[in-house]
Amino acid sequence: MKKPKIEAVEEQQPRKILRADKAPTTGYSLVVDGHFKSHHDTVEAAEEAGMALKNKFPMLQVQVYDAATKTRSMVQWPVPA
């Protein structure tokens, strides 16, 4: 029985691991129902991602966390007029 040849495995770049239980130190993050989720470089990108999530799932509580000032701001879903 032939053994399979093991080819040279490309070394993978180490991933930047963000822990959900630790507040980020830079940039902006989405906080969904009290849990840190995605990380963004600009507040506009974070708000856009939060609004897209809020449009899809309006029952979620979505906030944008600013790591520089350590503050959170709610993503408000537009109220129908």
Side-chain angles (χ1 to χ4, degrees):
M1 187 159 133
K2 289 187 176 181
K3 293 184 180 179
K5 291 184 180 180
I6 299 176
E7 305 222 0
V9 178
E10 294 180 25
E11 287 189 32
Q12 295 179 349
Q13 295 292 332
R15 288 183 11 181
K16 182 179 177 184
I17 298 174
L18 297 175
R19 292 183 50 174
D21 61 339
K22 300 267 185 177
T25 57
T26 61
Y28 301 88
S29 292
L30 280 184
V31 180
V32 180
D33 287 341
H35 300 276
F36 289 102
K37 297 296 180 181
S38 60
H39 184 74
H40 304 276
D41 292 328
T42 64
V43 69
E44 291 84 12
E47 287 176 347
E48 184 178 327
M51 190 57 77
L53 190 61
K54 193 76 168 167
N55 285 333
K56 193 169 183 179
F57 304 102
M59 74 295 267
L60 291 178
Q61 180 184 4
V62 181
Q63 300 171 332
V64 174
Y65 176 77
D66 182 359
T69 61
K70 298 182 181 177
T71 59
R72 298 178 186 203
S73 59
M74 292 292 293
V75 173
Q76 297 296 328
W77 196 50
V79 178

